Amino acid sequence: MIVKRPTLNFFEKTYLPGILQGLGITLKHFWDRVRGKTKITLEYPEEKPQLPEGLRGAPLLVKDEEGREKCVSCQLCEFICPPRAIRIIPGEIPLEDKYAKVEKAPKDFFIDMTRCIYCGLCEEVCPEEAIFLLPKIYSLSGYSRKELIHDKKTLYELGGIYARPIKKWEKK
């Protein structure tokens, strides 16, 4: 099968119709912007975008209202993470703590934000509600990949405190 190439006249060979058509679209957008009819760009740091309902943000760790770690190093989030972005090194609570024989705590907890796909499986599988995908934190950036590997301290600073409805160790 042979496809015939259309023959162009002199005016079409100079690409002027395409250039004029592109300039026409640009001038139309410019004129709409001058009249305030449409807003084309968003001045990002000053103006925040309207986020859609149900947006999943970055996975972060939270503490309870008493400031204790909610994570008990069960490693379920690490096992279920499809891109293997989460790494937990289990540890023990110091013996002088009153919860030492009851719970465990992670020695180290890392989330590689360059690998995270924001799927939400870690949040779903966590039995202690220690990890959340918070939509308020959606724009993470850094100058190197190393800055985007968040350790336990950074994850708790970003996550904050989340009051849990069940107080399982409270004496009655």
Side-chain angles (χ1 to χ4, degrees):
M1 175 184 235
I2 298 174
V3 179
K4 296 265 184 188
R5 188 176 293 216
T7 57
L8 303 175
N9 61 26
F10 176 75
F11 187 61
E12 291 173 332
K13 286 181 184 178
T14 61
Y15 299 105
L16 282 178
I19 293 171
L20 293 176
Q21 188 178 14
L23 282 174
I25 292 171
T26 302
L27 289 173
K28 179 185 174 295
H29 285 293
F30 177 74
W31 185 248
D32 287 345
R33 174 77 179 200
V34 168
R35 290 186 302 170
K37 190 174 178 183
T38 60
K39 188 171 185 179
I40 298 170
T41 60
L42 182 72
E43 305 296 331
Y44 173 64
E46 292 82 26
E47 299 176 27
K48 300 292 183 190
Q50 286 223 327
L51 302 175
E53 198 66 31
L55 173 79
R56 295 185 194 131
L60 304 170
L61 292 174
V62 292
K63 293 185 177 185
D64 65 1
E65 63 274 356
E66 296 176 22
R68 295 181 306 203
E69 296 182 48
K70 293 178 95 174
C71 180
V72 293
S73 300
C74 66
Q75 295 181 304
L76 289 174
C77 57
E78 182 178 7
F79 297 140
I80 197 131
C81 184
R84 303 282 183 222
I86 300 173
R87 195 175 81 231
I88 301 173
I89 300 171
E92 296 290 329
I93 295 178
L95 289 174
E96 55 272 2
D97 195 301
K98 68 179 182 177
Y99 298 104
K101 299 293 183 186
V102 180
E103 293 180 341
K104 294 190 310 181
K107 184 177 179 184
D108 280 320
F109 195 110
F110 299 99
I111 299 180
D112 188 350
M113 294 300 175
T114 60
R115 298 187 78 179
C116 181
I117 57 173
Y118 304 99
C119 63
L121 292 175
C122 56
E123 179 182 21
E124 294 291 328
V125 78
C126 184
E128 296 292 323
E129 296 181 343
I131 189 166
F132 281 94
L133 271 68
L134 298 178
K136 66 180 181 178
I137 299 175
Y138 59 91
S139 177
L140 298 171
S141 61
Y143 290 109
S144 67
R145 288 179 180 244
K146 192 174 183 180
E147 290 180 21
L148 293 174
I149 298 175
H150 292 187
D151 61 345
K152 184 169 87 167
K153 181 182 172 223
T154 307
L155 292 168
Y156 277 124
E157 284 174 3
L158 294 172
I161 293 175
Y162 178 77
R164 66 193 210 192
I166 301 169
K167 301 187 187 297
K168 63 181 180 180
W169 305 119
E170 194 173 85
K171 294 181 181 177
K172 295 183 181 182

